[in-house]
Amino acid sequence: MCYTNPGTAIDYISLWDEQHARSLAQKERMGEGGGTFWSNQDVVDRFVRNLISGDRSRIENQIAGMQIPPGSSVLDIGAGPGTLAVPLALAGCRVTVVEPSVPMGAAMEEYRRVVNAPPIRAIRSRWEDVTPEDAGVHDVVVASRSLSMGDIRSSLLKMDAAARRAVHLYWFLPSPSDSGGNAELWPVLHGEPYCGEAGADVLWNALCQLGIYANMHVETKERNHRYASFEELRRDYYNRLSVAEDWQREIVDAFLLERTVPEGSGYVVPGRSRSAHIWWEKQ
């Protein structure tokens, strides 16, 4: 819902920015600021492995849902290891990515070479720091699961300005059961509530506040994070939960032994997640 009465209006832009600031401050207290998680080589390697050998249905459904014609120019913000960028390039789009992580960029280039996709232009920076001149103007702008950013007003308006035809955003509708253990374990491990980012409901209302009346489609899916070994699983959880002490490792191990399910030669942590596809077309 969009509120227009100044006496009762909710400032969703400030709500987003304040929640992002709390989340960022918590990460920095734990030594996880500056995007260090996304530059961790174990994290990058697991992402790439899942891209090459994992279930590709989510990626295929995302690309099909955006209906981007071959030959279109696409700007992919927070492209990671090329999850969408490489298949879009392979499908005939001219792709530019914005991705600050050097290891993620190297992984995307390797993925691109493996599938023999055309070259992809890379801007090695955070979206907040990219100038409109560097970003350029593209037929379509995409940001998939990469909206952990502040100053959301400027960030969204810059996306809108960079798009000729459409903008597609994918973000989460978080709940404690969707957090992969963060909401349950963080208070026990660190003595404070877990501060995640604001959800897609806040994002949609922030767009309304900017005068952008976007479409939104919500999906609930099985969330099965796959790991090659139990040791890899433990390392990932220790990393995400900022675990440093033996007593913390014992708590996480007990949680994982209870929740983890063997699958083939690896392991999965079953769960469900809700995500939203938010998009608008330019007039």
Side-chain angles (χ1 to χ4, degrees):
M1 180 176 183
C2 299
Y3 293 86
T4 57
N5 184 337
T8 61
I10 298 174
D11 185 349
Y12 287 98
I13 291 171
S14 294
L15 188 63
W16 176 284
D17 286 345
E18 290 164 4
Q19 184 62 25
H20 174 73
R22 285 191 290 269
S23 178
L24 182 60
Q26 185 175 75
K27 289 182 177 69
E28 289 178 342
R29 285 199 304 274
M30 298 298 168
E32 292 294 328
T36 55
F37 177 81
W38 301 110
S39 292
N40 181 289
Q41 195 61 53
D42 286 343
V43 173
V44 174
D45 290 344
R46 183 163 56 82
F47 265 70
V48 173
R49 186 173 62 251
N50 286 336
L51 272 179
I52 294 172
S53 60
D55 181 8
R56 297 182 56 81
S57 60
R58 178 182 67 84
I59 299 169
E60 292 168 355
N61 290 338
Q62 273 188 268
I63 291 175
M66 290 188 289
Q67 299 182 344
I68 302 174
S72 300
S73 60
V74 179
L75 179 67
D76 185 359
I77 298 167
T83 306
L84 295 176
V86 171
L88 284 169
L90 199 59
C93 294
R94 293 170 285 115
V95 181
T96 297
V97 300
V98 176
E99 173 52 59
S101 167
V102 172
M104 282 291 186
M108 185 189 73
E109 182 59 20
E110 179 62 24
Y111 177 31
R112 185 192 69 78
R113 287 197 298 265
V114 166
V115 299
N116 199 30
I120 295 172
R121 175 183 173 235
I123 301 173
R124 196 67 64 223
S125 178
R126 302 185 315 148
W127 177 243
E128 299 98 305
D129 299 327
V130 175
T131 66
E133 293 74 22
D134 286 340
V137 179
H138 305 261
D139 294 322
V140 179
V141 171
V142 179
S144 179
R145 305 186 175 199
S146 57
L147 292 162
S148 297
M149 54 183 68
D151 192 5
I152 198 64
R153 175 191 293 274
S154 296
S155 296
L156 291 173
L157 289 176
K158 189 161 50 173
M159 292 178 199
D160 185 64
R164 293 188 189 93
R165 299 178 187 167
V167 179
H168 294 270
L169 309 179
Y170 294 86
W171 196 235
F172 306 99
L173 278 165
S175 70
S177 62
D178 296 339
S179 70
N182 285 0
E184 296 168 75
L185 291 173
W186 195 276
V188 180
L189 297 171
H190 301 295
E192 63 181 14
Y194 176 69
C195 294
E197 299 282 353
D201 51 341
V202 178
L203 178 64
W204 187 83
N205 277 289
L207 286 164
C208 287
Q209 196 172 331
L210 294 172
I212 299 172
Y213 301 98
N215 307 285
M216 181 165 72
H217 175 70
V218 176
E219 288 188 341
T220 301
K221 292 185 176 182
E222 298 298 322
R223 177 184 49 78
N224 289 324
H225 294 307
R226 291 174 172 79
Y227 299 86
S229 66
F230 191 77
E231 184 58 33
E232 181 187 61
L233 169 64
R234 294 170 69 198
R235 287 200 309 269
D236 181 50
Y237 269 70
Y238 294 167
N239 187 25
R240 288 197 298 107
L241 292 165
S242 299
V243 167
E245 305 289 340
D246 287 342
W247 66 269
Q248 294 174 316
R249 295 186 184 94
E250 291 175 3
I251 292 171
V252 174
D253 288 352
F255 173 88
L256 293 175
L257 287 169
E258 179 183 343
R259 302 292 180 92
T260 304
V261 176
E263 184 181 85
S265 61
Y267 296 85
V268 299
V269 181
R272 297 175 70 84
S273 66
R274 291 177 300 163
S275 61
H277 175 197
I278 298 174
W279 77 100
W280 65 98
E281 296 179 353
K282 306 293 289 287
Q283 300 299 320

